[in-house]
Amino acid sequence: MKRNTNSAHFLIIFINLFLWALPAFYLFKLQVLDAAKNEKIIQTFEAPKTILPKRGNIYVKDKNGKLYLIATTQKIYDVYFNPLKTKDLNKELNLIKGILNTDIKIKTNHTSFIIAKNIDEATVNELKKLKLDSLFFEEKYKRVYLENSFLSTILGFTIPEDNGLLKGVYGLEKYYDEFLKGESGLYYGIGEIQNAIPGSDLILNIDYFIQKYAEKILEEGIKEFEAEGGLIVVTTNDGKVLAIAEKPNYNPNEYNEVEDPKIYLTRLTQNYEPGSVLKSFTFFVGLDSKVYSPTDKYFDAGYVEANQWKIYNFDKKGRGYITLEEAFEQSLNTGAIHIEKLLGHNRFLSYLKQFRFNQKPMIDLPNLTEGNIKNLEKSSRDLRDINFYTASFGHGISISPAHLLMLFNTFANDGDMYSLLIVDKIINYNQKIKQQKTVKITHIGSKEAHQKFKDLLEKVTLNGSGKKARILGFKIGGKTGSAYIPHENQPGYSNEVINSYLVIFPLSKPRFIILVRIDKPNQGLAMVTTVPLAKKMIDFLINYYNIPPDNEKEIFEYYSNNTQN
């Protein structure tokens, strides 16, 4: 009996010792034998890593809806080296140098340090094949613009933020940054991941081939006249922007090499004094207000006096008694002033505000500014006639090309004013589509006034400064303008000019508005510098869209007469 009791005591003691030894051994294994492995797990668990999202792509399209990728995001890497992890330092360095083609300076007081930045994925894959414990890679993204300077002043570019995300600056990259940038994810370690959400893609209304051609002919014009400028094409019925070519421009892949940051800004939304293209506004308002008829006559002395100043026609010549229709064809300042007098200052200013010249243009771009008509909005005792007279032909007030496009779009649509739109669709990561739409802002003027005014625009093409845009069988209406550029830091104007030309085509059933602007040409007024470029674009659009003529009789008569001769 005593022997059995002793055995039971020994068994209990043994079991107790075993039970105490198991956790002691486990702790020893955890803290000593597996220390290195567990340290890595703990570090990974305690320091979650951000997973960067891929920024959305940007596409343009053609008339058939085919997409062309113009901006995308590619993976790049920073490469780190840890000399403490090497098995053969010199051998590993030589292997790495052979792939990176660069010298590596060893930092003996560092456990790990960066040896190369912004390395492409193909090179990194070659490094990974070496299977070296001494190499580490940090993944990030860079923005790539596949067509280089194509549409650059509208696209903008991106810069990396401290958290690794790409941030849009300027242009569409900035305006649509919230859609494009996506959402970061997290890697918590031990296999737990919160995936990043890619940014949405943008599909633009820009037509690839129209844009290419616009850039080509603008480049030719810029070289010929040693100037700067832009060429824009917009659809009339919905305000979609098909092309925006501008010079100077830049390569957004190399944005940090640009010396003058003003180049980053599109001129489409920058104010300038438009000159005689704004006579289109004054003559339309006169028709809508019924203060004149196109065949009414006035006496053109070649100048008008106001507030002890003389305001001249562009050639300082008087024509005597002349119809207002002829004054518009010949772009006479005295004709515009005559109509402003008939309207009166208050009504003239009221129409300026109806056309939103005191507000920002409505277009999907950042950094918009209101048109500047402040010198017409002073108190009655400070108002001067001369300010209204010069405003009637586009001097002394400033608006942007976007304002002018909205003005001419209103003419084309018989009074319906629409916003302008560059982006057509936004497509998110799960292919949900957000269709962008232009906004009908307001309606201005009677249909009768718009029709009469379009007849005036056509007469500029037939008999006036727009003759070089004439195309047999097609009704084309437009208005030219040349404006002296104000001094930046002192009153008055320089001898340099900005030439502009706006055209509606075809005039019978408007489809397009074209704006051509040439800044600081070495010679010539708008009829010489801008009108021929607009004609080239009209010819291209006719062929590209296979647009039928709206006056086949004119073509038939022309060829019949030439055949007989």
Side-chain angles (χ1 to χ4, degrees):
M1 186 73 180
K2 187 175 180 180
R3 183 177 177 183
N4 290 338
T5 301
N6 290 335
S7 297
H9 286 161
F10 280 121
L11 180 61
I12 291 169
I13 292 170
F14 176 78
I15 291 171
N16 283 331
L17 288 173
F18 180 76
L19 291 174
W20 279 102
L22 272 177
F25 176 75
Y26 179 76
L27 288 172
F28 174 76
K29 182 176 183 297
L30 196 67
Q31 296 177 10
V32 179
L33 299 180
D34 294 338
K37 175 183 175 183
N38 292 331
E39 181 66 21
K40 287 182 180 180
I41 294 174
I42 291 169
Q43 287 177 354
T44 304
F45 183 76
E46 290 178 348
K49 291 181 66 176
T50 298
I51 302 174
L52 296 176
K54 183 178 181 182
R55 192 173 178 86
N57 293 331
I58 301 178
Y59 299 87
V60 295
K61 54 188 176 180
D62 62 20
K63 64 179 181 180
N64 299 315
K66 181 180 177 181
L67 299 183
Y68 299 82
L69 180 63
I70 59 171
T72 190
T73 308
Q74 293 180 357
K75 286 182 180 179
I76 56 173
Y77 299 82
D78 289 344
V79 183
Y80 291 83
F81 181 74
N82 188 340
L84 302 180
K85 296 276 187 179
T86 60
K87 295 175 181 154
D88 187 329
L89 180 62
N90 291 329
K91 180 181 178 182
E92 291 185 12
L93 286 176
N94 287 332
L95 289 172
I96 296 168
K97 287 177 185 177
I99 294 173
L100 293 178
N101 295 317
T102 184
D103 289 331
I104 302 172
K105 295 181 180 179
I106 295 298
K107 299 179 180 180
T108 55
N109 58 340
H110 286 70
T111 54
S112 104
F113 56 92
I114 194 164
I115 58 173
K117 283 188 173 185
N118 304 328
I119 303 302
D120 63 79
E121 194 164 17
T123 303
V124 167
N125 287 336
E126 290 299 310
L127 289 170
K128 287 180 178 179
K129 289 178 183 178
L130 299 177
K131 297 181 180 180
L132 301 178
D133 294 337
S134 55
L135 282 178
F136 303 89
F137 307 95
E138 183 179 42
E139 179 183 293
K140 56 185 183 179
Y141 286 103
K142 75 169 181 177
R143 199 65 161 160
V144 178
Y145 300 91
L146 285 78
E147 298 273 346
N148 297 321
S149 62
F150 178 90
L151 203 65
S152 60
T153 57
I154 298 301
L155 289 177
F157 54 88
T158 65
I159 58 174
E161 294 188 287
D162 292 340
N163 60 8
L165 279 174
L166 295 175
K167 176 184 178 181
V169 291
Y170 299 103
L172 298 176
E173 292 278 23
K174 178 177 180 179
Y175 189 87
Y176 287 97
D177 189 56
E178 289 300 313
F179 292 96
L180 287 163
K181 68 181 182 181
E183 296 180 23
S184 297
L186 279 174
Y187 174 68
Y188 297 101
I190 323 179
E192 189 174 345
I193 296 176
Q194 176 186 327
N195 290 322
I197 299 176
S200 299
D201 294 339
L202 301 183
I203 299 177
L204 310 189
N205 287 313
I206 299 293
D207 184 287
Y208 181 79
F209 295 103
I210 299 176
Q211 177 69 25
K212 280 284 190 182
Y213 188 72
E215 292 187 355
K216 175 181 177 293
I217 62 174
L218 178 65
E219 179 71 29
E220 292 169 356
I222 293 301
K223 286 182 179 178
E224 180 180 357
F225 299 109
E226 299 177 359
E228 302 174 354
L231 195 160
I232 305 163
V233 182
V234 174
T235 59
T236 56
N237 59 336
D238 48 16
K240 293 182 178 179
V241 182
L242 300 180
I244 309 172
E246 295 186 290
K247 289 287 183 178
N249 57 6
Y250 66 100
N251 183 348
N253 295 307
E254 301 168 349
Y255 68 87
N256 54 349
E257 296 182 11
V258 173
E259 294 181 1
D260 184 0
K262 289 181 182 178
I263 294 176
Y264 297 145
L265 295 169
T266 172
R267 298 186 188 191
L268 174 60
T269 56
Q270 294 182 53
N271 289 344
Y272 77 115
E273 293 190 20
S276 291
V277 289
L278 209 63
K279 286 175 183 156
S280 56
F281 163 83
T282 304
F283 276 75
F284 166 75
V285 170
L287 288 172
D288 194 50
S289 302
K290 298 182 178 179
V291 299
Y292 83 98
S293 294
T295 55
D296 288 349
K297 290 187 176 182
Y298 79 104
F299 185 80
D300 170 34
Y303 66 90
V304 172
E305 292 188 86
N307 303 116
Q308 300 179 338
W309 288 85
K310 281 187 177 181
I311 307 170
Y312 292 94
N313 288 326
F314 71 94
D315 58 4
K316 294 188 176 183
K317 294 179 181 179
R319 274 93 171 150
Y321 283 102
I322 188 173
T323 66
L324 286 164
E325 179 179 271
E326 292 170 320
F328 189 71
E329 290 175 10
Q330 297 178 43
S331 197
L332 302 182
N333 294 341
T334 57
I337 293 171
H338 179 77
I339 292 175
E340 200 284 330
K341 287 181 178 180
L342 295 175
L343 287 165
H345 298 339
N346 288 337
R347 182 156 45 178
F348 182 80
L349 179 60
S350 173
Y351 270 93
L352 284 171
K353 291 180 178 179
Q354 284 188 58
F355 277 99
R356 299 176 59 89
F357 289 162
N358 62 332
Q359 300 181 51
K360 295 177 181 179
M362 291 188 66
I363 185 170
D364 47 341
L365 284 172
N367 307 314
L368 303 179
T369 56
E370 298 89 355
N372 186 353
I373 60 171
K374 291 178 182 178
N375 66 342
L376 307 182
E377 297 179 299
K378 298 175 181 177
S379 62
S380 56
R381 69 177 184 177
D382 294 325
L383 287 177
R384 299 196 305 161
D385 290 338
I386 191 171
N387 291 338
F388 284 87
Y389 295 167
T390 57
S392 73
F393 56 87
H395 276 79
I397 63 174
S398 59
I399 55 177
S400 69
H403 285 103
L404 289 172
L405 289 165
M406 291 173 66
L407 171 70
F408 268 67
N409 211 358
T410 306
F411 297 153
N413 292 312
D414 290 335
D416 289 339
M417 175 181 278
Y418 289 92
S419 60
L420 304 174
L421 191 63
I422 300 174
V423 171
D424 182 36
K425 296 185 183 77
I426 303 172
I427 304 177
N428 71 7
Y429 71 99
N430 60 9
Q431 297 304 299
K432 184 177 180 181
I433 298 174
K434 177 180 170 59
Q435 180 68 57
Q436 300 289 88
K437 294 182 179 179
T438 51
V439 177
K440 180 181 174 181
I441 302 165
T442 188
H443 182 90
I444 305 170
S446 68
K447 186 173 182 179
E448 179 187 6
H450 282 286
Q451 188 54 59
K452 286 183 178 179
F453 180 67
K454 279 185 271 195
D455 290 341
L456 287 182
L457 290 175
E458 185 181 18
K459 283 181 167 53
V460 173
T461 307
L462 296 175
N463 309 314
S465 57
K467 284 182 180 179
K468 290 186 178 181
R470 188 173 179 181
I471 297 174
L472 194 67
F474 289 90
K475 291 170 69 69
I476 297 166
K479 183 70 187 80
T480 60
S482 297
Y484 286 108
I485 301 173
H487 291 298
E488 287 189 15
N489 301 315
Q490 63 186 47
Y493 292 82
S494 70
N495 292 322
E496 294 181 312
V497 298
I498 295 177
N499 292 334
S500 303
Y501 181 48
L502 278 123
V503 61
I504 299 172
F505 160 78
L507 203 56
S508 54
K509 293 181 180 178
R511 289 182 60 176
F512 307 102
I513 297 167
I514 300 168
L515 187 156
V516 182
R517 173 176 154 176
I518 299 295
D519 296 10
K520 305 176 183 178
N522 60 5
Q523 59 171 309
L525 297 175
M527 65 182 75
V528 175
T529 60
T530 60
V531 177
L533 293 181
K535 183 183 183 298
K536 288 180 181 179
M537 179 51 70
I538 293 170
D539 283 332
F540 178 85
L541 293 172
I542 289 171
N543 293 322
Y544 186 60
Y545 288 106
N546 195 24
I547 300 172
D550 43 15
N551 191 349
E552 293 183 354
K553 183 180 177 182
E554 182 183 48
I555 298 174
F556 177 77
E557 290 177 349
Y558 174 82
Y559 283 108
S560 295
N561 292 334
N562 283 339
T563 302
Q564 292 171 6
N565 293 334

